[in-house]
Amino acid sequence: MSILRHIIICILLISGILLPVIAVGQVKVHGKITDTKGGPIEFATVRIEGTAVGTTSGSDGDYSLSCAMSDTITIIFSCIGYREEKRRLVGASGEVALNMRMQFDSEMLQQVEVAELKKQTGSIAIIDASQLRSSPDVSGGSVESLITTMAGVNSSNEMSSQYSVRGGSYDENSVYINDIEIYRPQFVSAGQQEGMSIVNPDLVGSIGFSTGGYPAEYGDKMSSVLDITYRELDSFEGSLTGSLMGGALSLGQGSNRFSQLHGVRYKSASSLLSSMDTKGEYDPRYFDYQTFLTYKFSDRLKGSFLGNISINNYVFTPVNRTTTFGTSMDARQFTVYFDGQEKDRFETYLGALSLEYRVNRGTALRLVASSYLTNELVAYDISGEYWLDQAGTSDIGGELGVGRYREHARNRLKASVMSFAIKGESAINPRHTLGYGVGIQRESVMDRSREWELRDSAGFSIPVSPTELSMVYSLDSKHDVSSLRFTAFLQDAWRLSTSAGFVTVNAGVRMCHWSFNKETLVSPRVSVGFIPEEHPGWAFRFATGLYYQSPFYKEYRMAVADGFGNQSITLNKDIRSQQSVHIITGTDYTFRALGRPFRLSGEVYYKKMSDLVPYEIDNLKLVYSGMNESSGCATGIDMKLFGQFVPGSDSWISFSLMKTRETLHGINVPRPTDRGYSLGIFFTDYFPKIRRLKFALRGVFMQGLPSTAPRSTRDEGYFRMPPYKRVDVGLQYALLSPVKDGESRSGAWRWLKSVWLGVDMFNLLDISNVASYYWVTDVNDVQYAVPNYLTRRQFNIRLSVGF
């Protein structure tokens, strides 16, 4: 009844039926206290000068107090580590909203200096969102490009936001934006089709990321969690970015009650794709609009809305292709002349509404309703005539094979996901928090797919038939399916100070039921962190749990052959969730070197997996078998050195060793995303004598993936692609130096925060990385894997304006 009463009062207030009643002779002052980055400050002291009236801010930075009316009221804001601030209210009466942004206290040091980096005791690592603008990548500073330089995270296609974590598939990673789980396209089979990441970097406020052992509040995936929170503003701000590949605009405004944030992005990758071996007319156009609105109905009730519209169009008319491959002693050249066109369209719509009600200072309830719709269309008719020759030969004796092929596809998929959830958090005491939640989700999928390939290689049709012309590949799918999922979780978190040190514990359990296969899952999870009292520079953590990969549509699609080379898709209603047991132990060691802070992190992990649904990777398209027919494991070690190699600029180096195995049809083989080693580098610097000039480097080096022939599996044979090596660099020069928080300009430039001119060089070393292979057959019936190379060196100019 208490919740209902507050909601009714709020509605009456908004409608103007009930006027606010303020005690006679009293002034009510309330607002939000934030730091220079807009983050809330907890336990800040707010008091009235010359009186005993005072209060402290809550976990969200909000405060409220009442005092007697006076001609002048002086309010003092203070908090350890921040400058004390005073504000005077003259002739104040009734209700007054007063927000405060507090500055870090740096007067004693005469400069801003980080004394120590925050230690990680849980399974969720916090990533500084300000690094996004420094990262040079073709997506324009995406979150995914930043995390792929982290230990245990791999991506080998610069045009895609998909990534693999500790040997898991691209579909084993949960992505949340403001508590809303995000789904990804199903039909994408090449990076250039995908467009932009769903996460708009200009709107990001905080980034949490876990490579395993994450708490029960997060959903049913086996590898990782990316948790994004968009910003809430308390003033006007915006940014405008333009480059040779597109542009982005973000605008936002906030007050004590209402905050709005909007972002528009447009991208065209024509110049980037033109550096690939296949020449033609590339016309990819990607558009994205996102909004995040919040409204504070009262001190206890707050509502928010998250919206997204994404439209990606990919049009490609190929003309020719020339690819040279092999070795210096046995070089070959593959030449193709094309006819036809590909037209793809991917549309995504998302709307999510949430209401948060604070029952009391320690308990908050949140209701979240969301609807997600994706509409995907892939259509192409492309034919080609190819020649396979010994490279460097022009006589007829150098010809190895001549052939032609025709590829056709009309694939249409509509998928909608509607969900409703109630989540809560109760602070039993300052060091003990209970989290809980229940939810229901409805999924609907409409699939209409038809694709085939006709191939004539070395003078005969493949496969050879004396009576008819057969397709080398044919697939048909026509399905409509709906299902319900029910979820619930309960988790308990403790933070304890003992004589031995500081201890954190998070223990919980998650439940899920799926109506499609009548499966009910229960997954317990626990993590422990410890910082010893005698050695506070060290932090230790351990996590374990049972994690399930609840199948989505393409994971339970099963191809059935009819004996004539044709395949049709059936849905496996006996599919079970894949499962993985995580065992992770790690440590952080913080230290100082060269007068600056550093953190050395390491984690050792083991994942035991069962009821796996095997898959193979065709470029970026994951082709699942549709059956639980394998088991496997993954083990490895991740290391990361993080710190300020130059003062005031964060950088890191990560290194991973990993081994994955899978028992497929009785044969022990590596998993499709097996990387024996990987090295990631993110380095930022500035020039001491030219403080306006900044430098950023992003490098990735990793072992190549296992690869198979078309429509084959690893137990029948595989080989490894060449290692993936890529270095991107960027230079930025401040045409207008950034203003510090709390300061402003004067004159004509008073509305501008900063103006940066940047120059990027993508794939600095001009390395030809392999994305996949096209297979051809010569006159001796020998198959050759012709590499499909990724983008080459590319130059970009960008201009960024903050206001």
Side-chain angles (χ1 to χ4, degrees), residues 396-506:
I396 196 161
E399 187 175 276
L400 297 176
V402 179
R404 66 185 63 184
Y405 68 91
R406 182 177 181 88
E407 296 176 337
H408 167 89
R410 293 293 184 273
N411 297 336
R412 179 73 177 270
L413 182 139
K414 285 187 176 181
S416 65
V417 179
M418 292 182 291
S419 64
F420 182 87
I422 299 177
K423 300 180 180 180
E425 188 175 76
S426 297
I428 309 303
N429 57 56
R431 297 185 178 274
H432 183 194
T433 305
L434 186 68
Y436 40 87
V438 294
I440 182 173
Q441 178 173 295
R442 184 179 185 272
E443 301 169 0
S444 298
V445 177
M446 185 275 287
D447 179 15
R448 301 291 185 270
S449 301
R450 175 63 175 165
E451 55 187 51
W452 51 261
E453 180 182 351
L454 178 67
R455 187 177 299 178
D456 179 3
S457 182
F460 58 89
S461 178
I462 299 176
V464 178
S465 174
T467 59
E468 62 182 11
L469 182 64
S470 300
M471 304 293 176
V472 68
Y473 168 68
S474 175
L475 183 69
D476 179 75
S477 178
K478 184 178 181 181
H479 292 285
D480 295 277
V481 60
S482 296
S483 62
L484 292 174
R485 298 184 195 265
F486 302 89
T487 60
F489 77 90
L490 177 66
Q491 69 180 32
D492 208 351
W494 297 270
R495 297 172 296 277
L496 308 173
S497 293
T498 68
S499 58
F502 182 72
V503 181
T504 63
V505 180
N506 187 304

Side-chain angles (χ1 to χ4, degrees), residues 724-787:
Y724 181 84
K725 296 168 286 187
R726 184 178 177 89
V727 176
D728 299 327
V729 297
L731 282 173
Q732 290 188 90
Y733 181 78
L735 300 178
L736 198 61
S737 298
V739 295
K740 298 179 180 179
D741 289 316
E743 299 179 357
S744 60
R745 302 182 195 279
S746 59
W749 307 108
R750 64 183 181 276
W751 298 108
L752 298 180
K753 280 187 176 181
S754 62
V755 179
W756 291 90
L757 179 64
V759 178
D760 298 320
M761 185 67 73
F762 304 130
N763 197 359
L764 175 68
L765 305 180
D766 198 27
I767 297 173
S768 298
N769 291 301
V770 177
S772 60
Y773 293 91
Y774 183 81
W775 291 76
V776 297
T777 306
D778 67 7
V779 292
N780 299 313
D781 201 24
V782 176
Q783 282 189 314
Y784 294 90
V786 181

